[in-house]
Amino acid sequence: MDIKRIVVKVGTNVITNKDNRILHPILKELVRQISVLYERDIMVVLVSSGAAIAGREVIGDTNITDASTRRQVYSSVGQPRMMRHYYSLFHDYGMRCGQVLATKRDFDIGVHRQNMINCYEGLLSEGIIPIANEDDAVSLTMSMFSDNDELASLVAELIDADRLIILSDTDGLYTGDPDDEDSERITEVSCNQDVEQYVQASIKKEGEGRGGMASKLKIAKSTASKEIPTYIANGKRQNVIVDIIDNKEIGTKFIL
């Protein structure tokens, strides 16, 4: 299949360290890989988390007690900070990027959805890398995505992407806790294959899903069912995006 456009989602756990600080080298490596694909005439939409963390880096602790309002404030301050990082990095590679913020209702059938299509198609036609994120400053309750995995899936469908790559802090879906020696990485999953048991095995052991794997599994299978091959892979692995496009056996691939 001739790959022309892909969506890459990078999670907060990939681009931050244990102290919740943005890892600039990870952002630089992401942009480097996107530039490699750009030279091959493959356009990338980057769905990037990290705005709230970036905002907290600037503001620090606040006196805002309401969690939703605090998230709005952090994200409002952090979003332009993230875009400054990306703008500078893409500029170093002679590339341009643009920001696309959205709420879930923007993908509803009708004028909002058409506006989104027009925006993405306009940016891609000009060789500009769209950087998408949830509009956390105004997105509350019914207008919120479950997470940026859902946003990435909706964008992939919207632009008729050839691949969706979800970058996490694990190497894919495992048969148990990824840290256990007897756990094995599952290389390929069909969208109707029952693998939820493996996520549950990890949850039972740790008390919670690793990196939101349960959500990622649901989104990956749903996206694959729309004939968009989807990958879950480790975003901190060198050259991970390019290697996936080059059909190397990395992460977990979800197919129809």
Side-chain angles (χ1 to χ4, degrees):
M1 179 181 178
D2 191 18
I3 298 174
K4 286 299 182 184
R5 50 176 65 179
I6 69 172
V7 175
V8 174
K9 181 264 180 176
V10 57
T12 301
N13 289 341
V14 175
I15 60 176
T16 60
N17 61 18
K18 294 180 180 179
D19 297 321
N20 284 330
R21 307 287 294 184
I22 299 295
L23 292 170
H24 195 265
I26 296 292
L27 300 184
K28 185 175 182 179
E29 169 62 8
L30 283 170
V31 172
R32 182 196 68 80
Q33 293 180 73
I34 293 171
S35 73
V36 170
L37 297 181
Y38 187 87
E39 291 299 319
R40 300 186 191 177
D41 292 325
I42 299 174
M43 290 298 294
V44 178
V45 175
L46 179 62
V47 179
S48 177
S49 302
I53 295 295
R56 184 160 188 164
E57 283 184 347
V58 176
I59 301 174
D61 294 332
T62 77
N63 295 320
I64 301 172
T65 57
D66 181 75
S68 295
T69 304
R70 189 166 58 246
R71 178 176 65 85
Q72 287 176 296
V73 171
Y74 280 144
S75 297
S76 179
V77 173
Q79 193 62 48
R81 181 175 172 85
M82 289 297 298
M83 285 304 299
R84 185 176 65 182
H85 287 315
Y86 282 124
Y87 181 90
S88 176
L89 289 168
F90 277 111
H91 183 268
D92 289 344
Y93 284 94
M95 301 170 67
R96 299 170 295 171
C97 63
Q99 182 183 55
V100 184
L101 300 179
T103 64
K104 195 168 184 176
R105 61 173 172 259
D106 290 318
F107 290 87
D108 291 343
I109 299 297
V111 175
H112 285 291
R113 183 179 180 85
Q114 189 58 52
N115 285 340
M116 291 287 288
I117 293 173
N118 294 343
C119 179
Y120 278 107
E121 292 299 335
L123 290 168
L124 293 171
S125 69
E126 290 295 319
I128 300 170
I129 304 299
I131 301 179
N133 195 11
E134 181 168 14
D135 193 353
D136 289 315
V138 300
S139 180
L140 293 172
T141 58
M142 294 299 292
S143 64
M144 291 177 65
F145 301 101
S146 59
D147 48 39
N148 266 351
D149 298 324
E150 182 183 17
L151 170 59
S153 177
L154 289 170
V155 171
E157 184 181 1
L158 189 80
I159 68 166
D160 293 324
D162 301 306
R163 298 286 188 276
L164 168 61
I165 300 174
I166 299 174
L167 298 179
S168 182
D169 58 350
T170 61
D171 292 316
L173 178 64
Y174 281 75
T175 55
D177 181 353
D179 294 328
D180 285 352
E181 292 183 359
D182 57 350
S183 293
E184 297 181 355
R185 178 171 56 88
I186 303 172
T187 59
E188 188 171 284
V189 175
S190 63
C191 62
N192 60 355
Q193 185 177 345
D194 182 12
V195 291
E196 281 73 13
Q197 58 181 313
Y198 300 123
V199 177
Q200 292 302 315
S202 177
I203 291 173
K204 288 178 182 177
K205 181 163 186 175
E206 298 191 0
E208 60 180 357
R210 290 180 57 87
M213 186 55 72
S215 171
K216 287 175 174 54
L217 175 59
K218 179 181 178 182
I219 292 297
K221 292 176 76 171
S222 173
T223 309
S225 72
K226 299 177 176 68
E227 300 187 41
I228 302 173
T230 300
Y231 297 78
I232 298 176
N234 193 329
K236 293 184 178 180
R237 184 187 186 280
Q238 189 77 13
N239 214 48
V240 59
I241 303 170
V242 176
D243 284 346
I244 286 174
I245 297 304
D246 287 341
N247 292 317
K248 295 186 179 179
E249 192 181 280
I250 294 170
T252 301
K253 181 181 180 180
F254 293 80
I255 60 174
L256 181 61

